[in-house]
């Protein structure tokens, strides 16, 4: 399967990428690792007329300790997130989740920025960064702005990014020794989660987010709220789907997803509390 | 668009349409048909080759993305005199293939894996090859071959 024809331009920097995307209008798209976009283009579910390749903007591939948070460049590949010693120390939940994206070939090419910008509710890193209370830095023709992960996801594959804005950095608060867990339930290795849960817990505080439980990644605020007011893990986990709106597909019915979410949230909290 | 790619040590300068997939480029433009297309939807790993030393699925890469890169296909693993790469030998000796369709991709994924984890456990190998499917379900012997190549 071959994508529909398109024009290809290459950006050497974020500024150049933003100017190119502005120049080519709403039919142009950024190409990062291509591991979400190219499969869609091959199926002709996406037919951009211009691709602006940002894969060579290597100065946006970094993982830095920035004091209270870790700053991750949008072009950092899943494999580099997985293997990062900085993240192993300060945000092990994210490193671990990145190691569960697809397979090694996918992790060699796919980027954290592409995964977040794509805003797929079934993807692992949008929900994981949401659970961690991350902030995304985006840059557009008028300068840069910060968007909280909790304000970023608007609908299925829809985010607060304007078409001429580029995601440049992901800021993840340090976990400061919090317990954590990543539960990914699937039937075949390499697959997306049927349901997934990213969770952390430290003293009274916690963060829980769900993968593939609605049109967007879902922050399970009710679970965190219940834990804060002293509920048991079992009782809190019963609230797993309070914010979710799962749909049915070939893998799971709504009832099954709902059941899985509660079970996986309970397991995640038990592991994060151990 | 003009690209310059070094494939198996030989530099090629080619004019390609931007939509040309890397697998199409190596198979059709360069005639290196050892890299197979299985699923064509980035699931099976049959099309795995190395880009700058790391396994990648060439059905999900554009040739223009490999501009300037070092690409190695299964044809580039064996020695100039035809002597097999240790991974190829290990697959042969451990009966790591049946029909052979998945084999080039398996071997490329396995050599990339051993670069990242030189001393893998059986579980490392099974997880490390999760992007590669074998329709003949020869997984046991494939894992055995990779472990043998790693000296286990
Ligand atoms: C076989 C396979 C299995 C997979 N399994 C999983 C899985 O289990 N879990 C999972 O989470 N993901 C999975 N993925 C998806 C993978 O994680 C992708 O790498 C990721 O979703 C997209 O990143 P990319 O860099 O490839 O982005 P691309 O495909 O290049 O881009 C995706 C979209 O984001 C836009 N974009 C990219 N970067 C930016 C940016 N910096 N600013 C603004 N817009 C941008 C593009 O225009 C495009 O619309 C899988 C993919 C494959 C092929
Ligand atoms: S042909 Fe590329 S992954 Fe199957
Ligand atoms: S040997 Fe036949 S597909 Fe693997």
């Amino acid at each position: 399967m071959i994508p529909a024809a398109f024009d290809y331009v290459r950006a050497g920097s974020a500024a150049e990428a933003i100017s190119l995307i502005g120049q080519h209008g709403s039919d142009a798209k950024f190409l990062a690792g291509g591991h979400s976009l190219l499969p869609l283009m091959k199926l002709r579910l996406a037919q951009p007329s211009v691709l602006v390749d940002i894969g060579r903007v290597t100065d946006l591939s970094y993982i830095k300790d920035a004091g209270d948070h870790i700053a991750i460049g949008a072009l950092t590949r899943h494999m580099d997130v997985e293997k990062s010693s900085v993240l192993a120390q300060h945000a092990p939940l994210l490193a671990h989740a990145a190691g569960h994206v697809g397979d090694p070939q996918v992790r060699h090419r796919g980027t954290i920025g592409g995964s977040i910008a794509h805003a797929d509710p079934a993807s692992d890193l949008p929900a994981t960064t949401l659970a961690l209370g991350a902030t995304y830095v985006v840059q557009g023709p008028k300068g840069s702005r910060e968007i909280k992960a909790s304000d970023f996801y608007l609908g299925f594959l829809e985010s607060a990014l304007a078409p001429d804005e580029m995601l440049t950095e992901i800021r993840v608060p340090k976990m400061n020794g919090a317990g954590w867990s990543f539960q990914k339930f699937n039937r075949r290795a390499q697959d997306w989660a049927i349901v997934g849960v990213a969770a952390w817990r430290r003293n009274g505080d916690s963060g829980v987010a769900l993968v593939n439980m609605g049109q967007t990644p879902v922050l399970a605020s009710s679970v965190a709220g219940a834990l804060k007011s002293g509920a048991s893990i079992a009782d809190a986990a019963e609230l797993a789907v309070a914010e979710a709106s799962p749909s049915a597909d070939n893998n799971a019915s709504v009832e099954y997803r709902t059941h899985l979410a509660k079970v996986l949230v309970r397991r995640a909290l038990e592991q994060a509390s151990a | 668009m003009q690209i310059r790619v070094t494939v198996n040590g030989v530099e090629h300068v080619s004019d390609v349409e931007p939509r040309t997939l890397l697998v199409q480029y190596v198979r059709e433009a360069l005639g290196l048909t050892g890299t197979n297309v299985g699923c064509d939807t980035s699931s099976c790993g049959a099309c795995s080759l190395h880009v700058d030393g790391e396994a990648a699925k060439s059905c999900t890469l554009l040739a223009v993305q490999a501009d300037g890169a070092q690409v190695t296909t299964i044809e580039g693993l064996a020695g100039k005199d035809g002597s097999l790469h240790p991974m190829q030998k290990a697959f042969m000796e451990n009966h790591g293939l049946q029909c052979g369709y998945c084999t080039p991709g398996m071997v490329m994924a396995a050599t990339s894996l051993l670069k990242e984890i030189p001393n893998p456990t059986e579980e490392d190998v099974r997880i490390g090859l999760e992007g590669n499917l074998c329709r003949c379900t020869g997984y046991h012997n494939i894992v055995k071959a990779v472990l043998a190549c790693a000296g286990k």
Side-chain angles (χ1 to χ4, degrees):
Chain A
M1 296 175 300
I2 312 292
F6 55 84
D7 288 328
Y8 172 87
V9 289
R10 209 174 264 164
S13 65
E16 192 185 354
I18 292 155
S19 135
L20 283 168
I21 210 100
Q23 218 169 298
H24 290 288
S26 59
D27 250 8
K29 268 196 163 300
F30 291 121
L31 174 71
H35 272 53
S36 288
L37 186 53
L38 292 176
L40 289 176
M41 288 173 64
K42 289 175 69 180
L43 295 167
R44 310 262 169 135
L45 294 172
Q47 299 200 13
S49 56
V50 180
L51 284 189
V52 177
D53 189 352
I54 54 174
R56 289 164 202 252
V57 183
T58 44
D59 57 352
L60 285 183
S61 171
Y62 58 80
I63 299 172
K64 287 183 202 155
D65 188 329
D68 61 344
H69 67 273
I70 305 299
I72 306 170
L75 272 298
T76 310
R77 305 177 309 162
H78 303 320
M79 185 65 88
D80 299 321
V81 173
E82 174 188 1
K83 301 260 162 87
S84 159
S85 55
V86 175
L87 287 174
Q89 191 181 349
H90 296 294
L93 169 57
L94 180 59
H96 179 87
H100 282 76
V101 172
D103 52 54
Q105 288 96 315
V106 171
R107 298 197 289 274
H108 285 147
R109 305 299 310 188
T111 65
I112 185 170
S115 181
I116 287 167
H118 197 55
D120 185 342
S123 283
D124 300 312
L125 305 185
T128 302
T129 50
L130 182 61
L132 287 168
T135 300
Y136 307 143
V137 183
V138 310
Q139 204 174 314
K142 292 190 218 93
S144 77
R145 60 185 180 122
E146 293 175 18
I147 309 174
K148 282 195 185 126
S150 53
D151 296 329
F152 186 78
Y153 302 100
L154 303 181
F156 183 70
L157 306 187
E158 244 182 89
S159 76
L161 267 177
D164 59 355
E165 279 180 323
M166 179 174 163
L167 176 59
T168 52
E169 188 175 275
I170 294 93
R171 295 183 179 162
V172 182
K174 286 186 178 172
M175 290 175 67
N176 294 323
W180 57 274
S181 176
F182 184 70
Q183 300 285 327
K184 181 170 180 173
F185 189 89
N186 57 15
R187 305 278 306 263
R188 292 177 307 194
Q190 167 207 93
D191 253 353
W192 274 264
I194 294 174
V195 177
V197 176
W200 61 268
R201 205 172 175 197
R202 190 182 50 238
N203 306 325
D205 294 329
S206 62
V208 180
L210 312 177
V211 178
N212 217 355
M213 282 299 286
Q215 297 296 101
T216 63
V218 176
L219 192 62
S221 319
S222 299
V223 174
L227 288 173
K228 183 112 195 162
S229 45
S232 68
I233 286 178
D235 288 344
E238 281 303 308
L239 303 173
V241 296
E243 288 81 15
S245 49
S247 43
D249 59 23
N250 289 343
N251 285 317
S253 63
V254 171
E255 294 73 20
Y256 184 48
R257 278 213 158 84
T258 301
H259 170 73
L260 271 178
K262 292 181 183 177
V263 171
L264 295 175
V265 166
R266 180 176 50 74
R267 282 187 198 160
L269 291 175
E270 282 167 356
Q271 195 175 32
S273 310
Chain B
M1 160 169 180
Q2 193 180 72
I3 58 170
R4 189 180 290 268
V5 194
T6 304
V7 182
N8 302 332
V10 181
E11 191 182 81
H12 298 270
V13 179
S14 311
D15 249 319
V16 296
E17 251 194 292
R19 62 174 166 169
T20 309
L21 302 170
L22 182 58
V23 68
Q24 241 187 311
Y25 175 68
V26 298
R27 287 181 59 88
E28 294 168 24
L30 305 184
L32 295 167
T33 53
T35 305
N36 287 334
V37 176
C39 64
D40 204 6
T41 54
S42 38
S43 305
C44 74
C47 64
S48 299
L49 42 63
H50 294 180
V51 179
D52 291 329
E54 294 172 326
K57 292 178 173 177
S58 60
C59 71
T60 311
L61 277 178
L62 301 171
V64 289
Q65 287 177 288
D67 185 15
Q70 298 275 343
V71 171
T72 308
T73 68
I74 189 73
E75 288 92 343
L77 275 193
K80 290 257 180 301
D81 58 353
S83 60
L84 294 180
H85 181 278
M87 187 66 76
Q88 293 174 306
K89 226 184 251 163
F91 268 66
M92 195 176 86
E93 284 163 4
N94 291 279
H95 207 86
L97 58 152
Q98 292 184 48
C99 79
Y101 201 83
C102 69
T103 312
M106 284 284 180
V107 169
M108 298 314 283
T111 46
S112 173
L113 174 69
L114 288 196
K115 254 193 248 173
E116 279 156 29
I117 312 178
N119 206 4
T121 62
E122 177 180 334
E123 202 194 348
D124 291 332
V125 175
R126 288 189 183 274
I127 292 175
L129 294 181
E130 68 184 323
N132 294 70
L133 305 180
C134 173
R135 286 298 289 267
C136 302
T137 67
Y139 294 111
H140 283 296
N141 286 346
I142 290 170
V143 172
K144 232 167 85 186
V146 179
L147 288 170
C149 186
K152 295 215 160 169

